[in-house]
Amino acid sequence: MAELQRVSLVIPCYNEEQAIQNLANQLDPAVADLEKDHEIELIFVDDGSKDNTYELLDRHYGKKKNVKIIRHEKNYNLGSALRTAFKSSTGDVIVPIDCDCTFPPGKIRDLLELLDEETDIVNASHYHPQGTLDNVPLYRRILSKTVSEMYRTILGRRDIYTYTGIFRAYRKKVLEDIKFKSDGFLSSAEILSYAILKGYKIKEYPTTLYTRQYGKSSIKLFKVIMSHLRFVLKLSYIKFLKRQKT
């Protein structure tokens, strides 16, 4: 693994008061381990929560060094929270993680160890042949995997199996270069798709996606599916224009 100077861990949160304690229980030991080798920065974005998410984040992390807690006045959705966090990040590497720990923070080190000098993104992949899903509802498996299959086909990257997950390690230069527009859950697929089109080097890390244990998801499935379908059509058009130019 190439030497990494500073790593920014980005955690978007929306109405996650029931999940904050579990997050702290898993994130704190993971950060303590990472700090043996890296300088770690934590960036929380409370995306307009209507519960006690901000107060609990402040209680757990407000007085700790290298922590930023940013508060949106209203809910703008995941993509917007990620943009806010990315702009505030100072790390050489940026790792977004889910507040609900569906990808355990203890796996962050595994992503970083795969980020060698020839790699720009390490993508945590539960749909990889060696990846697994733990107690995730069947309908969500079917919908999410179908969406990822569409991206694999249209982008021609059969070696990348998961497009919808948030858990990745990015070199900062990638996120400075890619301008994604989605404010919603499409954002993760949008970033990865544009990274492929721009030729960035991507590795997949087979891992397990766990079901949420605390609180409830804010995802609106029909709206998210429609956004993916529209984006797939956009990618098809971009690919068509590229073929016309060659």
Side-chain angles (χ1 to χ4, degrees), residues 3-15:
E3 186 66 24
L4 304 176
Q5 299 299 317
R6 185 173 176 85
V7 178
S8 297
L9 305 182
V10 165
I11 307 102
C13 306
Y14 176 62
N15 289 347

Side-chain angles (χ1 to χ4, degrees), residues 42-76:
L42 292 178
I43 301 179
F44 298 93
V45 178
D46 174 25
D47 188 32
S49 296
K50 298 177 182 178
D51 61 6
N52 292 319
T53 294
Y54 179 81
E55 288 76 14
L56 291 171
L57 287 174
D58 187 60
R59 183 185 306 170
H60 281 283
Y61 295 101
K63 295 182 181 179
K64 293 187 178 182
K65 65 176 184 178
N66 293 326
V67 173
K68 298 175 185 176
I69 304 175
I70 304 169
R71 193 176 194 181
H72 285 172
E73 292 185 1
K74 64 179 183 178
N75 177 238
Y76 293 104

Side-chain angles (χ1 to χ4, degrees), residues 95-225:
V95 182
I97 63 174
D98 292 287
C99 184
D100 58 13
C101 298
T102 48
F103 291 105
K107 300 296 185 180
I108 295 169
R109 177 172 288 279
D110 293 343
L111 295 187
L112 297 179
E113 289 179 346
L114 287 175
L115 196 68
D116 56 31
E117 293 181 357
E118 298 179 352
T119 305
D120 301 304
I121 303 171
V122 178
N123 182 44
S125 178
H126 45 286
Y127 292 130
H128 188 280
Q130 297 173 16
T132 58
L133 295 96
D134 183 84
N135 204 31
V136 176
L138 180 60
Y139 74 94
R140 292 196 66 169
R141 296 186 190 200
I142 294 172
L143 293 173
S144 177
K145 189 166 186 178
T146 299
V147 166
S148 287
E149 283 295 327
M150 288 193 299
Y151 287 114
R152 292 180 74 205
T153 301
I154 196 67
L155 292 167
R157 287 296 300 268
R158 304 300 293 176
D159 58 323
I160 299 177
Y161 292 86
T162 302
Y163 285 79
T164 55
I166 186 178
F167 189 39
R168 296 172 186 150
Y170 298 96
R171 293 202 179 277
K172 187 177 181 66
K173 67 178 184 180
V174 176
L175 296 175
E176 288 177 337
D177 182 32
I178 291 175
K179 308 304 179 186
F180 64 101
K181 295 182 179 180
S182 172
D183 288 332
F185 287 87
L186 172 66
S187 53
S188 292
E190 189 180 3
I191 294 169
L192 192 61
S193 297
Y194 286 146
I196 290 170
L197 292 176
K198 284 177 174 286
Y200 285 109
K201 304 302 182 183
I202 304 165
K203 283 184 181 178
E204 280 212 322
Y205 163 63
T207 191
T208 299
L209 173 66
Y210 294 89
T211 192
R212 169 186 282 269
Q213 298 294 318
Y214 301 92
K216 62 180 182 178
S217 174
S218 61
I219 190 171
K220 295 178 174 60
L221 282 177
F222 179 76
K223 183 177 180 181
V224 171
I225 291 168

